[in-house]
Amino acid sequence: MAAGQDAGGNGSDRAKPTQGGVQSVERTFELLELMADAGGEVALSDLAEASALPLPTIHRIMRTLVRTGYARQQPSRRYALGPSLIRLGETASRTLGSWARPYLAELTEATGETSNMAVLDGAQIVYVSQVPSQHSMRMFTEVGRRVDAHATAVGKAVMATMPEESVTQVLNRTGMHPQTERTITSVNGMREELARIRELGYALDDGEQEVGVRCYAVAIPDAPAASAISISGPEARMKRIAVNDVVPLMRRLATDLGNELSATGEPA
């Protein structure tokens, strides 16, 4: 899903096959994405309403997904995402992280601080790549760690590119629990924060996830998944960074990375 795209999707838009695509494959991925948007579990009627596909078509696709392990049918007759997706997701995350590392390395070299790439997955941020600072006191976020979007610079950077309705859905699903006394815990407060981010061109985590930690982030434009890059470090050291100098660098690197990630790689 590209940054700025409605996380909830639109059934009529999804139902349109792309030129040169295989319709059955497109429909299969459409249903998987709808299931993910719904939190991983849906009824056939929900899929029919959201996708505008005929119910027999949906039923046939779901039977195939269940047989191959990419979906499972619950005792309630609802369908859930299946365990076979886990291996695909883990492999994709490692590949995504390897693509991001050269860009993060340049950012760390220029700033001296830890750089990260993170992706919005449902209502949470997942860190997929990191290049650590060489300082003895540095920030370390385990790759694969999941955190609520509202308390992170990367999460706020991503949400600033999304429609308001989708942002509200993300915030309502996590509950906006306070991580520190500085965490923004109201939807209206977050709306004001996202408006500032759009105006400034970057997001700030000022001790909102961890006390004493400061982080700057920018969204990755045109990426196939809503994502962002960031730098983070101890508050005192991060305050010495010239934001007006580092943000243009971050935006350039994010744009270059987004261009690489969005390349289709289709054969000529």
Side-chain angles (χ1 to χ4, degrees):
M1 186 187 310
Q5 182 177 341
D6 185 345
N10 180 287
S12 59
D13 290 340
R14 290 177 183 269
K16 297 175 183 177
T18 56
Q19 184 176 3
V22 179
Q23 189 179 61
S24 60
V25 175
E26 291 178 347
R27 287 175 168 178
T28 299
F29 283 108
E30 175 188 346
L31 295 180
L32 288 171
E33 290 180 0
L34 284 170
M35 292 175 70
D37 292 344
E41 184 177 325
V42 293
L44 280 180
S45 57
D46 297 329
L47 291 174
E49 181 179 356
S51 68
L53 293 173
L55 198 57
T57 298
I58 296 173
H59 192 253
R60 186 170 61 250
I61 292 173
M62 295 309 300
R63 282 204 314 267
T64 301
L65 289 173
V66 168
R67 189 168 62 249
T68 54
Y70 293 102
R72 66 179 188 273
Q73 191 168 27
Q74 307 286 61
S76 63
R77 308 297 294 173
R78 292 166 64 86
Y79 287 90
L81 295 174
S84 292
L85 292 169
I86 296 174
R87 181 173 62 88
L88 296 183
E90 290 176 345
T91 303
S93 293
R94 288 195 298 270
T95 303
L96 188 61
S98 67
W99 282 336
R101 281 190 65 83
Y103 301 94
L104 299 182
E106 182 174 345
L107 184 55
T108 292
E109 182 177 359
T111 63
E113 300 297 345
T114 298
S115 57
N116 307 278
M117 178 185 176
V119 176
L120 182 67
D121 181 23
Q124 290 191 306
I125 285 293
V126 182
Y127 289 89
V128 297
S129 189
Q130 181 181 89
V131 172
S133 166
Q134 295 302 308
H135 290 290
S136 57
M137 180 181 292
R138 60 185 182 225
M139 297 303 100
F140 176 77
T141 298
E142 184 180 358
V143 171
R145 181 188 179 196
R146 305 176 69 92
V147 295
D148 292 346
H150 72 285
T152 65
V154 283
K156 292 190 291 184
V158 168
M159 288 192 291
T161 70
M162 295 165 56
E164 185 172 318
E165 179 182 354
S166 299
V167 171
T168 302
Q169 291 174 358
V170 168
L171 298 177
N172 287 340
R173 284 168 66 180
T174 63
M176 301 189 71
H177 302 294
Q179 305 300 316
T180 73
E181 63 180 13
R182 296 183 181 179
T183 306
I184 298 172
T185 56
S186 72
V187 174
N188 286 337
M190 184 57 68
R191 287 186 181 129
E192 295 175 1
E193 175 75 355
L194 297 182
R196 283 193 291 270
I197 291 168
R198 295 183 191 107
E199 181 179 352
L200 294 173
Y202 70 94
L204 168 67
D205 166 7
D206 188 14
E208 297 158 54
Q209 177 67 33
E210 296 182 44
V211 175
V213 176
R214 193 176 179 91
C215 179
Y216 302 115
V218 300
I220 301 174
D222 301 321
S227 50
I229 60 173
S230 69
I231 54 171
S232 58
E235 183 176 1
R237 210 164 61 216
M238 291 291 290
K239 283 184 174 180
R240 294 198 293 268
I241 291 179
V243 177
N244 291 338
D245 292 334
V246 76
V247 168
L249 170 62
M250 294 178 69
R251 292 174 66 86
R252 176 180 66 78
L253 292 172
T255 297
D256 291 346
L257 177 55
N259 288 338
E260 179 173 349
L261 296 176
S262 63
T264 63
E266 291 182 359

